[in-house]
Amino acid sequence: MCEAWDGAVKLQAQIEGRVIAQELAPKMAEEMAAKIAKDMAADMAPKMAEEMAGEMAEEIVEKRLKEHKQRLKRKEKERNKKVVYNMFAKGYPQEEISEILNLPFSKVKKWCKNFSKDAAVEMA
């Protein structure tokens, strides 16, 4: 009878152990997943930070280069405008100014449209 009783107790313990394991398994799996994720994040963080810093530096360089090109373009336009005004003030035909400066005729014509000789003298 004792052996039967011991067997029944062992069987009951096994059943209870499985029930407890089934209840704890999801929580343990969740905790393990969180730990793995945390470890992976710690390993990946320096690499990601380095990549992000590199990307940000590239973006800054591209932005500054673009701004610099825009400034150069504005300065070139201002210089060309002054040259066009001064040449027009000296009597050069608009077509000739366009050819000499290699500018579109429409642009030269537009710049000369509201021309006054006083303005050319001020710009010189």
Side-chain angles (χ1 to χ4, degrees), residues 4-112:
W5 184 254
D6 286 343
V9 170
K10 284 182 183 178
L11 183 61
Q12 180 66 28
Q14 286 178 348
I15 293 171
E16 287 177 5
R18 285 186 182 150
V19 169
I20 291 171
Q22 286 176 348
E23 290 174 356
L24 293 178
K27 185 175 182 178
M28 289 175 61
E30 187 178 309
E31 289 174 359
M32 287 177 61
K35 183 179 180 343
I36 291 170
K38 185 178 178 182
D39 291 345
M40 286 178 65
D43 290 342
M44 293 173 59
K47 293 175 189 173
M48 290 176 64
E50 186 177 322
E51 287 175 12
M52 288 176 63
E55 290 172 6
M56 289 172 64
E58 287 176 13
E59 289 175 12
I60 290 169
V61 167
E62 287 176 22
K63 182 181 176 186
R64 293 214 174 127
L65 184 61
K66 185 178 177 182
E67 290 170 354
H68 180 69
K69 285 180 181 179
Q70 288 173 343
R71 279 194 303 274
L72 287 177
K73 211 173 188 180
R74 280 193 302 270
K75 285 182 180 182
E76 182 181 10
K77 181 180 177 183
E78 290 171 14
R79 182 185 59 79
N80 284 338
K81 229 176 185 179
K82 287 178 184 179
V83 172
V84 167
Y85 286 151
N86 288 324
M87 288 178 77
F88 191 67
K90 291 180 181 178
Y92 284 88
Q94 293 177 7
E95 295 86 5
E96 193 173 336
I97 295 170
S98 173
E99 288 177 23
I100 292 171
L101 297 178
N102 197 24
L103 293 170
F105 177 72
S106 60
K107 188 174 282 191
V108 172
K109 188 176 178 181
K110 180 181 172 185
W111 288 347
C112 293

